Amino acid sequence: MNASKISRRSFLKGVGAVGTTSLLAACGGGDSTATSGAASGAGATAEGKVINIYSWNDEFRTRLEAVYPEVESTSDDGTVTTLKDGTEIHWIINPNQDGVYQQKLDEALLNQASAAADDKVDIFLSETDYVFKYTDAAADVAMPLTDLGIDPDTDLADQYPFTKTTASDANGVQRGSTWQCCPGLLVYRRDIALDTFGTDDPVAIGEKVKDWDTFRATAEELKAKGYYALASYADTFRLYGNSISQPWGVEGSGTITVDAQIMKWVTDSKEWLDAGYLNKTVKGQFNDDWNKSMGSASKVFAFLMPAWGIDFTLAPNWDGPEGSWAVTNPPQEYNWGGSYIHACQGTDNPEHVRDIILALTADKDNLIKISKDYLDFTNTVSGMEEAASDDSFASAFLGGQNAYEYFSPVAQNIVMAPLSSYDQGCVELIQNAFSDYFQGNVDFDRAKENFETSIMERYPDITTVQWPD
């Protein structure tokens, strides 16, 4: 297979015609029985000398080094971690931008069966936007956790249910696990709240944003005082996108289905933009204008963000004093993000892989330490409930507020939208197409046409886009 043709979702497109049996052989899945036996101790064989882990940054490495007791040392350049038994973890890092990470991973997966033992992929990570591409049972590149000797019902009983669903294939077989849970909140400027509403109390502000209709009335109050409710129409997309009732696409159907909730995002965003509740100059997220809208000179009242967004996006962009921001409930529960750990079919290190997954995603003490050290909201229901009432989790950036008090109930109420292997492309391209509409560059019908064109270019098997009535 021509590896240069593999990009983003195309791993499944490239290998789908091969058939499941051939794909199992190509990805090393044919050995799954032997692998399972090794993991569970039945007829165990010697583990390999190298554990190859594919990821897009050093986030997983730093957390593993912080809590995994078998770590001995790490090279100065961060590319090799040596365990106490002499096994080396080799970190293969490629950037997420432009699909590079997935392309490099897909090439390695296609070569898995023929690769030398110490060159095989042992662990790889995926993100929520494209996790289904790798957990799909037909692809069979991510091992069922039970094949490693991990029982999700008992070993992972304290995980948030929606994260287990996200890491499972369409048959409900869990093929990954995560240390993260990424519930989102509304993060707001205390000074703007005081000026507009006479209070910055999180409970009072929570009442003013408790649902979309209430938030719209609140946005009108903010506008009257010269403020924007939110920075961009892109800021609300995850909330609507998390509440779709059907997947974007089903493999082999040739059809992308645009859920009614996605079109509600379009309608509501246009209304809010035209009403002046959003800043028309901020087009999308993670660009210069969006970053600047988090600064002290900005007139933007609030952002919708998970824990990582507050600590790694909002805080670095804020140029005012600590304690200027607070959190409260969002108008709708949602999740944004999450990195999933997968054991690769054909790994020659099943015992090490099992041990790492359990240490990073099933050990409550380890997860709480990660929350303490790295500010992640971690994937342990009881642990995060404890954090919610633990003053040591108070944030100086949030003026001494303990955000876990708000994150914990949101996390427990998240119901994950149905996943498909088309998710990443659909999420990106629907926003791109309607951004032009919001900005007045194209009309509504042309935006729909542009989405249809771009989605069919991204996924050549798609021939129809079905829009809601």
Side-chain angles (χ1 to χ4, degrees):
M1 184 172 294
N2 184 351
S4 67
K5 293 182 180 178
I6 305 172
S7 65
R8 299 186 187 235
R9 184 218 172 234
S10 59
F11 174 65
L12 276 183
K13 299 315 305 167
V15 298
V18 176
T20 303
T21 303
S22 298
L23 180 56
L24 284 170
C27 297
D31 263 323
S32 60
T33 301
T35 303
S36 175
S40 61
T45 57
E47 296 270 296
K49 296 181 174 62
V50 175
I51 301 170
N52 292 302
I53 300 181
Y54 277 65
S55 187
W56 53 86
N57 59 25
D58 66 354
E59 186 177 74
F60 180 49
R61 175 178 65 80
T62 56
R63 284 144 183 79
L64 182 143
E65 291 171 351
V67 302
Y68 189 46
E70 302 307 313
V71 170
E72 179 70 37
S73 62
T74 297
S75 61
D76 291 341
D77 64 1
T79 60
V80 178
T81 296
T82 303
L83 303 183
K84 292 175 181 177
D85 65 2
T87 304
E88 292 183 350
I89 297 177
H90 289 192
W91 300 96
I92 298 92
I93 308 298
N94 289 288
N96 253 335
Q97 286 77 10
D98 300 319
V100 172
Y101 169 68
Q102 290 183 63
Q103 180 177 341
K104 296 296 185 182
L105 172 60
D106 293 349
E107 291 170 359
L109 293 174
L110 287 170
N111 294 319
Q112 180 81 337
S114 60
D118 286 339
D119 292 333
K120 290 182 182 294
V121 183
D122 296 291
I123 289 174
F124 64 91
L125 275 74
S126 72
E127 291 189 297
T128 301
D129 282 346
Y130 55 84
V131 61
F132 189 83
K133 167 182 169 179
Y134 297 102
T135 58
D136 189 359
D140 202 26
V141 293
M143 288 176 62
L145 295 184
T146 52
D147 285 2
L148 285 171
I150 297 174
D151 183 346
D153 291 337
T154 56
D155 296 324
L156 308 179
D158 201 27
Q159 290 190 341
Y160 286 93
F162 82 89
T163 68
K164 300 174 74 173
T165 300
T166 302
S168 299
D169 63 26
N171 301 315
V173 176
Q174 193 165 342
R175 294 174 178 262
S177 188
T178 181
W179 74 92
Q180 285 181 313
C181 182
C182 300
L185 300 178
L186 185 125
V187 197
Y188 63 92
R189 286 263 299 269
R190 292 179 182 270
D191 59 334
I192 293 177
L194 284 168
D195 185 42
T196 307
F197 314 119
T199 179
D200 65 352
D201 177 66
V203 175
I205 302 303
E207 280 297 305
K208 298 191 75 67
V209 299
K210 64 183 179 181
D211 54 48
W212 287 118
D213 288 340
T214 305
F215 196 7
R216 184 180 284 103
T218 298
E220 187 65 35
E221 291 184 70
L222 287 160
K223 177 187 175 183
K225 295 287 289 188
Y227 300 113
Y228 299 110
L230 299 166
S232 167
Y233 42 81
D235 289 354
T236 63
F237 182 83
R238 293 281 171 179
L239 285 70
Y240 292 83
N242 270 194
S243 60
I244 63 175
S245 59
Q246 56 193 334
W248 283 95
V250 176
E251 191 78 17
S253 71
T255 300
I256 289 296
T257 300
V258 181
D259 193 274
Q261 280 295 311
I262 301 299
M263 298 315 294
K264 189 172 189 306
W265 168 74
V266 172
T267 301
D268 290 354
S269 295
K270 187 67 164 62
E271 287 180 1
W272 281 51
L273 197 63
D274 290 348
Y277 304 153
L278 309 174
N279 188 341
K280 288 187 176 181
T281 67
V282 181
K283 304 172 184 177
Q285 296 175 314
F286 301 102
N287 53 42
D288 188 55
D289 286 338
W290 191 65
N291 291 336
K292 286 179 179 176
S293 67
M294 300 176 196
S296 58
S298 170
K299 296 295 185 180
V300 173
F301 169 61
F303 291 85
L304 292 155
M305 287 187 167
W308 61 259
I310 297 171
D311 296 308
F312 303 114
T313 304
L314 179 59
N317 284 315
W318 175 245
D319 56 354
E322 282 193 323
S324 299
W325 294 83
V327 300
T328 192
N329 51 268
Q332 180 178 341
E333 284 89 359
Y334 68 102
N335 179 79
W336 184 2
S339 301
Y340 286 83
I341 308 168
H342 306 282
C344 189
Q345 289 283 22
T347 175
D348 61 327
N349 290 283
E351 292 183 20
H352 281 95
V353 170
R354 175 184 183 275
D355 201 35
I356 288 170
I357 290 176
L358 288 174
L360 269 292
T361 71
D363 187 304
K364 179 177 172 179
D365 291 339
N366 286 349
L367 290 166
I368 289 176
K369 178 174 171 55
I370 290 173
S371 289
K372 283 277 192 183
D373 292 354
Y374 295 98
L375 306 176
D376 290 346
F377 185 92
T378 49
N379 196 15
T380 165
V381 176
S382 63
M384 295 299 91
E385 286 178 342
E386 292 171 12
S389 59
D390 184 344
D391 290 343
S392 68
F393 281 84
S395 165
F397 179 74
L398 298 175
Q401 185 185 19
N402 181 354
Y404 289 84
E405 180 183 350
Y406 282 90
F407 278 123
S408 182
V410 170
Q412 294 187 51
N413 288 316
I414 290 172
V415 177
M416 199 63 189
L419 300 177
S420 80
S421 51
Y422 302 90
D423 289 357
Q424 185 176 29
C426 289
V427 166
E428 291 175 0
L429 297 175
I430 199 82
Q431 291 184 83
N432 290 346
F434 282 96
S435 177
D436 287 337
Y437 166 62
F438 297 147
Q439 297 299 326
N441 298 325
V442 299
D443 63 21
F444 180 77
D445 289 335
R446 178 52 63 87
K448 291 173 66 176
E449 291 172 8
N450 289 345
F451 174 69
E452 292 178 358
T453 299
S454 61
I455 206 69
M456 292 176 192
E457 289 175 350
R458 177 75 67 91
Y459 305 123
D461 62 310
I462 297 300
T463 57
T464 305
V465 174
Q466 182 175 326
W467 299 91
D469 296 330

